[in-house]
């Protein structure tokens, strides 16, 4: 079974804190993605990575950074958390290739609340 | 900006009824995927459609890709409470997926 795991299911942080969200996949997938999901807005891509140490900005990268030091692990960093970053964060992975032809496998999500 | 619009945003029906939800765009997609997301979980792929006019069936779920590859529909026959969830469509114009906002479906026993 493909597994994508995320470090926390729920997280509460204070404004200004540095926040790390970790994602690990066990399928040897080249691609890894970080999305945020807000009601009525669907999934919005923050960053993705197609190889170790490679990263590409998605649609909403402002306020976020990422790190991929190993193929199986992709980290999302909120340098200074703000209340408008309160959201559900979803990590996904897939094989490299034509974007729409490969299934994305998702983790269970991290619900982050910034107070 | 390419957009995928899903309708309706919310649908609540009784067990046993039929329903159709839609995913529409003004842009052409090379392929389109449907995912289902249950509360507290990530989305899970149901189907990928690639060819214009293609119809795929998954038990009681029927997926259709429009002839022009700009839209898709999901029809559920005799809906069951286990079908409850958020149904998301995602289209691939090139190398990234563009996501719709989803249809939240509730099937009441």
């Amino acid at each position: 079974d493909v597994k994508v795991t995320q470090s926390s299911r729920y997280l509460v942080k204070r404004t200004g804190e540095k926040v790390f969200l970790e994602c690990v996949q066990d399928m040897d997938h080249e691609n890894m993605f970080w999305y945020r999901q807000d009601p009525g807005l669907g999934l919005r891509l923050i960053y993705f990575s197609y190889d170790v140490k490679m990263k590409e900005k998605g649609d909403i990268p402002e306020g976020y950074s990422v790190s991929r030091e190993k193929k199986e692990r992709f980290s999302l960093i909120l340098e200074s958390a703000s209340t408008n970053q309160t959201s559900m964060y979803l990590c996904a992975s897939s094989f490299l290739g034509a974007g729409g032809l490969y299934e994305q496998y998702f983790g269970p999500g991290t619900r982050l609340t910034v107070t | 900006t390419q957009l995928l619009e899903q309708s309706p945003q919310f649908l609540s029906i009784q067990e046993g009824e039929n329903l159709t939800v839609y995913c529409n765009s003004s842009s052409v997609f090379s392929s389109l995927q449907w995912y289902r997301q249950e509360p507290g979980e990530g989305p899970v792929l149901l189907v990928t459609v690639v060819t214009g006019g293609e119809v795929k069936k998954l038990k009681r779920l029927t997926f259709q890709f429009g002839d022009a590859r700009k839209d898709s529909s999901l029809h559920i026959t005799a809906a069951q409470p286990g079908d409850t969830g958020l149904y998301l469509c995602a289209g691939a114009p090139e190398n990234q997926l563009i996501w719709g906002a989803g249809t939240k479906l509730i099937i009441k026993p």
Side-chain angles (χ1 to χ4, degrees), chain A residues 98-111:
Chain A
L101 291 179
Y102 288 91
E103 176 178 1
Q104 290 195 12
Y105 294 84
F106 285 84
T110 295
R111 186 165 291 283

Side-chain angles (χ1 to χ4, degrees), chain A residues 35-98:
Chain A
Y35 294 93
R36 62 176 285 175
Q37 184 177 30
D38 300 288
L41 295 178
L43 273 69
R44 291 182 291 168
L45 183 64
I46 304 171
Y47 269 96
F48 71 98
S49 168
Y50 53 88
D51 200 356
V52 175
K53 296 192 186 296
M54 304 304 290
K55 61 185 179 184
E56 293 286 341
K57 292 180 180 179
D59 299 320
I60 50 164
E62 296 79 19
Y64 304 94
S65 62
V66 290
S67 172
R68 192 163 180 204
E69 297 296 318
K70 293 184 177 181
K71 190 175 185 179
E72 67 271 20
R73 189 179 296 269
F74 194 34
S75 302
L76 179 70
I77 303 145
L78 286 67
E79 295 290 342
S80 177
S82 64
T83 54
N84 63 12
Q85 293 178 309
T86 291
S87 186
M88 170 70 87
Y89 288 88
L90 289 163
C91 174
S93 69
S94 76
F95 287 114
L96 187 67

Side-chain angles (χ1 to χ4, degrees), chain B residues 49-108:
Chain B
V49 286
V50 179
T51 307
E54 183 176 3
V55 176
K56 281 192 174 179
K57 291 195 174 186
L58 190 66
K59 297 184 181 177
R60 293 175 295 99
L61 279 60
T62 302
F63 303 85
Q64 184 159 9
F65 201 13
D67 290 341
R69 291 186 288 131
K70 292 182 178 181
D71 53 78
S72 181
S73 63
L74 159 60
H75 181 79
I76 301 179
T77 303
Q80 297 178 3
D83 297 326
T84 292
L86 179 68
Y87 288 80
L88 295 159
C89 66
E94 292 176 358
N95 291 324
Q96 287 188 38
L97 284 180
I98 294 173
W99 294 82
T103 292
K104 187 168 185 179
L105 177 62
I106 294 178
I107 310 300
K108 294 179 283 189

